[in-house]
Amino acid sequence: MASEFILLGFSNFPQHLLPAFFLLYLLMYLFTLLGNLIIMATVWSEHSLHMPMYLFLCALSTSEILFTVAITPRMLVDMLSTHHTITFVACASQMFFSFTFGFTHSFLLMIMGYDRYVAICHPLRYNVLMSTHTCARLVSWTWAGGSVMGMMVTLIVFHLTFCGSNVIHHFFCHVLSLLKLSCGKETSSVTLGVILVCVTALMGCLFLIILSYVFIVAAILRIPSAEGRHKTFSTCVSHLTVVIVHYGFASMIYLKPQGHHSMDSNTLMATTYTVFTPFLSPVIFSLRNKELKNAIKKSFQRKFSPLSS
């Protein structure tokens, strides 16, 4: 039974490229933290943003920060280190937290889609259907659901026996890379079970988001003026863009055809989901959401502009 694992990560990359990759990923990581913290601080300080959509956005920013914290710091340290071992417990913890915050993120995107559906299709009942109590309960359910998924997958995987090689061909304790190291008759059935659970949950979220937007588009098309249609749809653009980015990069990694891909290309592909997607999310929300963009601008002007006499 393995007591520790070795994260291969970027070990096979040319050594002279590692400082450049390290700097790039470090800057993206810091920007992810800063961007999400700015969004959270702005929503907290601006009373005009104290509404369900921005409460969900704060929860999404929190899950984004925690997801990157669970993976990226370890990856950055390993890029400049020769010691790439990770203990059994640390590996299990990293898998649990990455799954928990990753699934919470997907569940929150689904709830945000429902919020836009209620706002556009049932505007007169919005304050009743999306009360503060209801929003808090929905956010609690997303975190609880993410935790259950994280705990379930981690317990299933680490219940297996690991024998032979203890080298994980990844920069973090990635579930499929870890399953390749397990041995025993139940390995193939567990692998299939984990894939089915994850795909069912994620595709279920995507299906409900698409369903929300089918109703949203139908409602928008009934608006007589072009200006009214544009104004209504603009409230959905940032959420829809993040959904496309989130599921687009995930599909590129997990649904790509199984061929002769080098480990280096697989490693770089994985960073698009673990580093690049969280980096893009605050950029999209702060640039594509007019209310939030103006609130951030106003907040910065208040703090940094000299007081007019």
Side-chain angles (χ1 to χ4, degrees):
M1 181 73 177
S3 60
E4 63 178 23
F5 299 100
I6 298 168
L7 293 168
L8 199 61
F10 290 81
S11 301
N12 292 329
F13 278 67
Q15 292 300 302
H16 67 278
L17 291 178
L18 290 184
F21 278 119
F22 174 84
L23 184 61
L24 174 65
Y25 293 137
L26 175 64
L27 290 173
M28 290 172 79
Y29 171 65
L30 293 174
F31 188 89
T32 301
L33 298 183
L34 181 64
N36 282 301
L37 287 171
I38 287 172
I39 287 172
M40 291 163 68
T42 304
V43 172
W44 180 266
S45 62
E46 294 291 331
H47 289 289
S48 62
L49 299 181
H50 290 183
M51 55 182 76
M53 180 168 68
Y54 296 105
L55 168 68
F56 297 138
L57 181 55
C58 273
L60 193 77
S61 291
T62 305
S63 71
E64 203 87 80
I65 288 171
L66 294 173
F67 177 76
T68 53
V69 166
I71 295 173
T72 311
R74 171 80 206 204
M75 181 192 81
L76 291 170
V77 169
D78 282 351
M79 284 176 79
L80 298 183
S81 170
T82 53
H83 184 73
H84 297 159
T85 57
I86 184 169
T87 64
F88 188 88
V89 173
C91 191
S93 300
Q94 189 185 54
M95 182 180 288
F96 167 72
F97 287 121
S98 62
F99 264 101
T100 295
F101 303 133
F103 274 108
T104 300
H105 188 272
S106 294
F107 295 152
L108 283 166
L109 286 175
M110 177 184 68
I111 294 301
M112 290 172 83
Y114 173 70
D115 171 72
R116 292 298 81 212
Y117 158 74
V118 175
I120 292 168
C121 299
H122 303 284
L124 298 179
R125 299 179 62 204
Y126 183 76
N127 290 332
V128 176
L129 292 173
M130 301 303 289
S131 64
T132 305
H133 177 70
T134 302
C135 292
R137 196 165 55 191
L138 287 171
V139 170
S140 301
W141 276 110
T142 61
W143 285 95
S147 301
V148 167
M149 291 295 294
M151 183 62 72
M152 185 167 60
V153 173
T154 305
L155 287 175
I156 289 170
V157 172
F158 282 88
H159 181 70
L160 295 169
T161 304
F162 298 96
C163 50
S165 174
N166 66 339
V167 178
I168 299 173
H169 293 278
H170 218 289
F171 54 81
F172 75 105
C173 289
H174 184 263
V175 62
L176 296 180
S177 300
L178 205 56
L179 283 168
K180 289 175 183 175
L181 306 182
S182 65
C183 51
K185 293 178 182 177
E186 70 271 28
T187 300
S188 57
S189 58
V190 167
T191 302
L192 184 61
V194 167
I195 291 169
L196 282 175
V197 165
C198 295
V199 168
T200 302
L202 293 174
M203 289 300 106
C205 289
L206 182 59
F207 172 75
L208 291 173
I209 291 169
I210 291 169
L211 193 62
S212 296
Y213 275 100
V214 167
F215 288 112
I216 287 168
V217 169
I220 288 172
L221 291 175
R222 287 196 295 269
I223 298 171
S225 69
E227 187 186 348
R229 289 195 294 270
H230 179 267
K231 189 177 179 181
T232 305
F233 186 70
S234 67
T235 63
C236 305
V237 170
S238 55
H239 172 257
L240 191 57
T241 308
V242 168
V243 168
I244 291 167
V245 168
H246 178 75
Y247 279 95
F249 281 124
S251 301
M252 280 168 57
I253 295 162
Y254 295 108
L255 301 180
K256 68 178 188 292
Q258 295 300 310
H260 296 289
H261 301 282
S262 70
M263 281 188 290
D264 292 355
S265 68
N266 285 338
T267 300
L268 286 177
M269 283 286 286
T271 61
T272 61
Y273 189 68
T274 55
V275 183
F276 191 58
T277 303
F279 163 77
L280 281 180
S281 194
V283 175
I284 293 165
F285 275 113
S286 55
L287 292 180
R288 301 295 299 173
N289 186 301
K290 194 178 287 185
E291 276 185 322
L292 182 61
K293 184 167 70 173
N294 291 338
I296 291 171
K297 203 180 292 181
K298 195 197 305 180
S299 182
F300 270 88
Q301 283 171 351
R302 221 175 21 237
K303 286 180 175 65
F304 300 110
S305 294
L307 292 171
S308 54
S309 53

